[in-house]
Amino acid sequence: SQTIHQWPATLVQPVGSPLSLECTVEGTSNPNLYWYRQAAGRGLQLLFYSVGIGQISSEVPQNLSASRPQDRQFILSSKKLLLSDSGFYLCAWSGQSGRKNIQYFGAGTRLSVL
Amino acid sequence: AQKVTQAQTEISVVEKEDVTLDCVYETRDTTYYLFWYKQPPSGELVFLIRRNSFDEQNEISGRYSWNFQKSTSSFNFTITASQVVDSAVYFCALATSSGNTPLVFGKGTRLSVIA
């Protein structure tokens, strides 16, 4: 069966520090991968998605970047965090066949920028 | 452009009451998919159901049921005999037929079930 892992679960970082959040998927190949952010009490905002290695689409220009160095690995980064980067970050994957547009989510990372 | 509207921001019910969460969508595509996800307090989004635009049959799964009506562009979700464990934020979402495009999510409805 397929599983998705996100880490860390919680992170507290000072303003101006770098960020690296990692997401990996097991049990499937060539998944579509997604990064979302959810501010407190708000809806989901799509940040990036990827349909293959090295292919990244950015939905919102901002302080963040994403990379996909391996087929089932998706990394969210920032060189200098802002206070507004605080939020709940969710990684998701969807398959390439069958019920291909159902997205399955990781447990999320709660980021507090102080 | 595609859009999903969940007009109910928060709903509070007493346990065992029935509750309906509304979802209205906009799309120009003739083939599309609609989804409901549940986000419990732990934060992880849990997939509940997917429905394609050609299948207007209502679906029932235990205490959950979904009413898809293309004529009103709605995909409403009803919980019968609600329980405290149903307390969560529920998201409705829309996708085109291509499969590679991200889901468009509504802003969510926070459901609180009071014992």
Side-chain angles (χ1 to χ4, degrees):
Chain A
S1 64
Q2 301 88 359
T3 56
I4 179 169
H5 303 279
Q6 260 190 266
W7 66 91
T10 306
L11 192 59
V12 180
Q13 292 283 94
V15 169
S17 64
L19 173 73
S20 181
L21 302 181
E22 189 161 345
C23 171
T24 60
V25 181
E26 295 178 356
T28 187
S29 59
N30 197 25
N32 295 329
L33 296 170
Y34 310 85
W35 277 112
Y36 291 87
R37 177 170 62 198
Q38 186 177 31
R42 304 286 295 276
L44 293 163
Q45 178 187 34
L46 177 67
L47 301 176
F48 302 94
Y49 71 97
S50 171
V51 299
I53 296 176
Q55 301 178 60
I56 309 292
S57 295
S58 174
E59 292 295 303
V60 182
Q62 57 200 326
N63 185 42
L64 302 170
S65 62
S67 62
R68 184 171 178 173
Q70 300 181 40
D71 181 43
R72 290 168 289 176
Q73 184 184 31
F74 205 23
I75 297 173
L76 183 69
S77 304
S78 174
K79 292 183 180 178
K80 287 187 178 181
L81 284 169
L82 306 172
L83 287 174
S84 57
D85 291 323
S86 293
F88 188 52
Y89 289 81
L90 286 157
C91 181
W93 73 273
S94 62
Q96 294 289 358
S97 62
R99 292 157 65 85
K100 60 182 178 180
N101 55 10
I102 297 175
Q103 291 185 19
Y104 299 95
F105 287 78
T109 296
R110 297 194 184 278
L111 172 65
S112 297
V113 182
L114 305 176
Chain B
Q2 298 176 63
K3 185 178 179 182
V4 175
T5 301
Q6 294 180 256
Q8 305 152 308
T9 305
E10 295 192 30
I11 300 175
S12 185
V13 299
V14 177
E15 202 171 21
K16 297 184 182 178
E17 287 184 350
D18 299 347
V19 58
T20 295
L21 309 182
D22 298 332
C23 173
V24 174
Y25 63 92
E26 296 175 30
T27 180
R28 293 183 179 179
D29 293 304
T30 55
T31 302
Y32 52 89
Y33 297 85
L34 296 163
F35 305 77
W36 276 96
Y37 284 84
K38 174 182 180 179
Q39 186 179 37
S42 61
E44 179 178 346
L45 265 76
V46 178
F47 166 73
L48 294 178
I49 190 172
R50 182 187 77 163
R51 183 56 100 212
N52 74 53
S53 54
F54 296 109
D55 184 0
E56 286 195 71
Q57 277 190 323
N58 291 335
E59 176 145 347
I60 299 175
S61 176
R63 295 184 297 106
Y64 294 173
S65 62
W66 291 270
N67 183 1
F68 176 31
Q69 291 195 346
K70 289 179 76 171
S71 61
T72 55
S73 297
S74 65
F75 186 44
N76 296 337
F77 174 27
T78 297
I79 301 175
T80 303
S82 59
Q83 300 177 1
V84 173
V85 294
D86 296 326
S87 296
V89 180
Y90 291 86
F91 290 95
C92 181
L94 167 70
T96 64
S97 61
S98 71
N100 279 341
T101 55
L103 300 183
V104 175
F105 283 88
K107 294 188 182 300
T109 297
R110 180 177 299 278
L111 173 65
S112 298
V113 182
I114 304 166

